[in-house]
Amino acid sequence: MDTKQSLMLKKYVDLVFRWKYLLLLLFVVGLVGGMVSYIITPKTYMATSLLSYQQPQISPNKTPRDVTARIRDVVSTLTQIVTSRTNLEEIIKSFDLYRDAREEYPMEDVINMMRMDISIEPSRRGDTFEISFSGEDQGKVAKVANALAAKFIEENLKYREERASETSEYTSNRLEMAKRTMDVKEATMRDYKLKYYNEMPEQRGVNVERLTSLQEQYQGTQESMLALERTRVLIQDQVAARKEMLEGEKIALIGENGNISRKGLDSRAQYLERLRLTLESLEVKYKPNHPEIKRVKKMISKFEQETRDSGEESSSGSNQIRDEVLMKLQAQLSNVDFSMETIAREKEQLSQKIKQYEEWIAAAPVREAEWSGLTREYAQLKHHYDQLVALNLEAKSMLNLERRQKGNQFKIVDPARFPEKPVKPDFLKTMLVALGAVLVMGCGFILITDFLDGSFRESEELEQYFGVPLITTISSIQTNAEKRRGTITSIMKIAGVSVCFVLVIALYWYMFAKGIVVV
C-alpha cells in the first residue's frame, strides 16, 4: 500500500472516530424511524385454507393419470368459476369488503382488486392445494378464505356433475358412430376374406405345402405312367410275337389265289378265328390302310360269306376256340391301358390343381398388400372403438358417482385461521431499510462536511499540498479548563446516547410485549 492510500484510509478512520456520536445517534434515529414506519404502514394479513383432492373409493379409472396434473387442470378450471364476477360480488357484499374502494371505484375495479388478493395454488403435496386471501381487516381474511374454500367445493360438485353428464352423452354418441363404422368395415373384411380365402397370406404356407405335395404326386404319376408305358410296350411285343407265331400257322393255310386251305383245321370256326387273330396282330404293327390288313379283312369277309352260304354257324360263343396265352396277354394289355387312362385323368386333375395352387400362391402378395390396407385401417378403428368403449364406461361410472356425490371431491383439511401477524410490511426488512437510509444520509453528511473543511489534520497533507518538506510539528497543548470541558462534553454525549439506546430498547420491548410488532 502506497503513502497516498495509507493517508486516505487513515483519514476515513479518523472521520469515523470524530463523528462516532453522530453515527450512534443516527443509528438510534433509524431504529425509531423504522419502528414508526412499521407502525403507521397499513398492515396486510393473509389467511390460508388447505384443501385435499379425494378420489372415490371405487374409481372407474384403472390407470389414473398423474395426480398433480389432474389437480392443476381441475383447479385451473374451478378458479375461473370461483373468481367470476357473480361469486366475488356476492362475497364482497356478504362480508362488506373494500368499503372505501366501492365508494370510490366501480364494482368491476373492486372485483379485480379482490382477484389480486386471492391466491389458489397447488401445495408441495400432489393431492392438495391452498386458497389464500390477503386483506387489511385482520378479522375478515380468515372468514373470506373459508368462504372461498366452501364456494370452491360447491362449484366443484356442480361442475363435475354437469361435465360428467355432457361427457357421458358425448361418448355415447361417438361410440354409436364408431360402432356403425366398425360394422361396415367388418362386413367389407368378411366379404373380402370369403372371396379370396385361399389367396390370403395366412394360407400361403398351407398352399406351398399342398403344392409341394401335389408336385410330388404328379411326379409319382409321371413315373407310374412311364413304368406302365414300358410294361405296355413289353406286353405289345409279347402279343405281336404270339400273333406272328399264330400268323405263321395261318398263312400256311392261305392259297395263292385267295382260296383258303382247310388242311389241319377241324372246322370253319377255327379257321375264321385264326384269321381274326391274324388281323389283330397286323393292326398292332401296321396302320389301317396297310395292304396286308386290307387283304386279310377281305379274306375274312369272303370266308364269312362262304360260311353263311353253306349254312354253317360261326358264333363267338362256346364254339370259338382261342389261344390261352394270347388271351392273357391281351387281358394284361387291357389292364395296362385302363391304368394308363386312369393315371392320365389323375395327371390332368393334378395339373389343374397345381395350376390353381400356383395362382393362389402368386396372388398372395397382392392379397397381402390389400389385406394390410384393410387391417391397418381396421386396427385404427378397433383401437379407437376400444378407447371409446372404455371412455363410455368410465363416463357412465363417473356420472353415477357424481349423482350420488361419491366422485372425486375436495375436502377442507385445514381451515383458515385468524392471522396473528401481517405478511406486509415485513418488520426486519423495514428496519434494515430504515437503518440503511439513515446511515447513508449520515455518511453523506460527514463526507460533504469533510470536503468543505479546508483545515489540515496530518503533517503529510501539508507536505503534499505545499510540496515542501516539513521540519517539525508542535502537539496540541490544552489547559486544565479545556480538558475539564472536554471531559464533561464527552460524558454528556455518552449519557445522551445511552439514554437514547435505553429508550429505544424500552420502546421495542413494549411493542413486542403488547403484540403490536410480531416477527
Side-chain angles (χ1 to χ4, degrees):
M1 185 182 296
D2 57 8
T3 304
K4 188 174 181 180
Q5 293 177 347
S6 177
L7 290 174
M8 291 295 294
L9 179 61
K10 186 177 180 182
K11 178 181 178 180
Y12 291 137
V13 173
D14 182 62
L15 285 174
V16 171
F17 276 100
R18 280 192 293 116
W19 295 93
K20 58 182 176 295
Y21 294 107
L22 177 62
L23 293 175
L24 291 174
L25 181 61
L26 290 175
F27 183 76
V28 173
V29 172
L31 292 176
V32 175
M35 178 62 72
V36 173
S37 175
Y38 178 79
I39 293 172
I40 65 175
T41 301
K43 306 297 186 296
T44 301
Y45 298 89
M46 177 182 287
T48 301
S49 180
L50 181 65
L51 280 73
S52 66
Y53 183 80
Q54 293 182 333
Q55 298 183 14
Q57 294 180 355
I58 302 176
S59 176
N61 272 331
K62 294 184 179 180
T63 56
R65 297 180 301 165
D66 183 67
V67 176
T68 303
R70 183 171 63 252
I71 292 178
R72 287 178 179 174
D73 294 341
V74 175
V75 170
S76 176
T77 303
L78 293 178
T79 298
Q80 301 298 323
I81 299 175
V82 172
T83 58
S84 63
R85 173 167 182 163
T86 303
N87 291 327
L88 293 185
E89 187 174 355
E90 180 183 350
I91 293 174
I92 289 172
K93 292 180 179 179
S94 297
F95 294 97
D96 194 21
L97 302 175
Y98 306 100
R99 185 182 304 171
D100 298 336
R102 281 187 291 164
E103 295 177 356
E104 185 177 357
Y105 303 104
M107 181 56 71
E108 186 66 31
D109 295 339
V110 176
I111 290 173
N112 290 331
M113 292 170 59
M114 186 173 183
R115 285 174 181 162
M116 295 177 64
D117 294 334
I118 297 173
S119 175
I120 303 176
E121 296 180 354
S123 63
R124 293 182 179 179
R125 290 180 293 175
D127 57 348
T128 60
F129 67 99
E130 297 176 345
I131 298 179
S132 302
F133 178 72
S134 302
E136 297 181 359
D137 194 333
Q138 190 176 8
K140 292 182 179 179
V141 290
K143 296 179 182 179
V144 174
N146 289 326
L148 289 171
K151 180 66 70 174
F152 206 97
I153 294 174
E154 178 185 352
E155 294 294 338
N156 174 62
L157 294 176
K158 291 166 56 178
Y159 171 74
R160 289 192 65 84
E161 184 174 356
E162 292 175 359
R163 192 178 68 170
S165 178
E166 293 175 357
T167 303
S168 178
E169 182 178 358
Y170 175 71
T171 54
S172 297
N173 293 335
R174 289 187 62 190
L175 182 61
E176 184 64 25
M177 293 175 60
K179 186 176 183 303
R180 289 197 296 267
T181 305
M182 284 283 294
D183 292 341
V184 173
K185 192 65 178 178
E186 287 176 351
T188 303
M189 293 175 63
R190 182 187 64 246
D191 296 341
Y192 184 88
K193 201 164 188 177
L194 290 175
K195 183 177 180 180
Y196 302 108
Y197 177 77
N198 291 312
E199 299 178 8
M200 297 302 292
E202 57 268 20
Q203 294 295 324
R204 188 175 186 277
V206 177
N207 292 337
V208 171
E209 293 180 0
R210 183 59 180 163
L211 177 61
T212 303
S213 176
L214 290 174
Q215 289 176 344
E216 291 176 356
Q217 291 181 18
Y218 187 83
Q219 184 67 29
T221 56
Q222 286 278 64
E223 294 176 356
S224 299
M225 180 65 76
L226 292 176
L228 288 174
E229 287 179 354
R230 289 193 294 270
T231 303
R232 185 172 181 274
V233 171
L234 291 175
I235 294 174
Q236 286 178 347
D237 291 341
Q238 292 178 6
V239 169
R242 186 67 179 175
K243 287 184 177 182
E244 286 179 358
M245 183 184 69
L246 295 175
E247 183 182 1
E249 296 177 357
K250 293 177 182 180
I251 292 175
L253 300 175
I254 300 172
E256 294 180 358
N257 55 359
N259 295 324
I260 299 175
S261 175
R262 288 158 176 80
K263 181 181 180 179
L265 292 177
D266 297 330
S267 66
R268 291 178 178 273
Q270 292 179 351
Y271 178 71
L272 182 60
E273 182 63 26
R274 290 191 178 185
L275 284 177
R276 289 172 177 169
L277 291 176
T278 302
L279 178 62
E280 290 179 1
S281 63
L282 292 175
E283 287 178 347
V284 172
K285 289 184 177 182
Y286 308 111
K287 294 182 180 180
N289 56 356
H290 193 273
E292 189 66 24
I293 292 177
K294 291 181 179 180
R295 187 178 67 83
V296 174
K297 285 183 177 181
K298 186 176 180 181
M299 291 173 63
I300 292 172
S301 299
K302 183 178 178 181
F303 184 76
E304 288 177 349
Q305 184 65 32
E306 292 178 356
T307 302
R308 282 194 299 270
D309 293 341
S310 62
E312 184 179 352
E313 296 181 356
S314 78
S315 63
S316 60
S318 57
N319 294 328
Q320 291 182 352
I321 300 175
R322 293 179 177 272
D323 185 72
E324 296 294 333
V325 176
L326 184 60
M327 291 174 63
K328 290 180 180 180
L329 291 174
Q330 289 178 341
Q332 291 178 3
L333 185 62
S334 298
N335 291 334
V336 170
D337 291 338
F338 178 77
S339 298
M340 291 179 67
E341 292 178 359
T342 302
I343 292 176
R345 289 193 298 270
E346 183 178 355
K347 282 179 61 179
E348 182 65 23
Q349 294 176 358
L350 288 175
S351 177
Q352 293 177 359
K353 289 182 179 181
I354 289 172
K355 182 179 180 181
Q356 182 66 61
Y357 276 96
E358 288 177 347
E359 291 177 355
W360 289 346
I361 293 173
V366 178
R367 305 304 171 208
E368 183 177 8
E370 295 175 353
W371 185 253
S372 296
L374 291 173
T375 54
R376 188 186 307 112
E377 186 177 354
Y378 177 77
Q380 295 175 355
L381 292 174
K382 184 67 168 60
H383 179 68
H384 180 63
Y385 180 78
D386 293 340
Q387 286 182 334
L388 289 177
V389 171
L391 288 174
N392 188 44
L393 293 175
E394 180 182 345
K396 290 181 179 179
S397 301
M398 288 297 298
L399 179 60
N400 185 34
L401 290 174
E402 294 300 336
R403 286 175 176 173
R404 298 168 59 186
Q405 294 188 357
K406 292 185 179 181
N408 297 337
Q409 297 180 1
F410 290 100
K411 179 181 178 181
I412 299 177
V413 177
D414 189 9
R417 302 178 185 274
F418 182 83
E420 297 180 355
K421 63 178 182 178
V423 293
K424 293 180 182 179
D426 187 272
F427 178 74
L428 295 177
K429 290 182 179 179
T430 302
M431 297 306 300
L432 290 175
V433 171
L435 290 173
V438 171
L439 291 176
V440 168
M441 291 174 60
C443 292
F445 174 76
I446 292 171
L447 292 175
I448 292 173
T449 303
D450 181 70
F451 178 76
L452 296 176
D453 186 8
S455 61
F456 297 98
R457 297 185 179 275
E458 299 292 338
S459 58
E460 289 83 356
E461 294 179 357
L462 288 172
E463 291 180 351
Q464 290 182 0
Y465 184 78
F466 292 104
V468 179
L470 186 63
I471 299 174
T472 184
T473 59
I474 301 174
S475 302
S476 177
I477 301 174
Q478 294 180 345
T479 62
N480 293 330
E482 290 175 345
K483 289 180 180 180
R484 283 194 301 269
R485 284 196 302 269
T487 302
I488 293 171
T489 302
S490 298
I491 292 172
M492 290 178 65
K493 289 180 180 179
I494 293 172
V497 172
S498 300
V499 170
C500 291
F501 270 102
V502 171
L503 292 175
V504 170
I505 292 172
L507 176 64
Y508 271 71
W509 178 82
Y510 176 79
M511 293 295 179
F512 281 102
K514 293 297 181 179
I516 299 175
V517 177
V518 180
V519 180

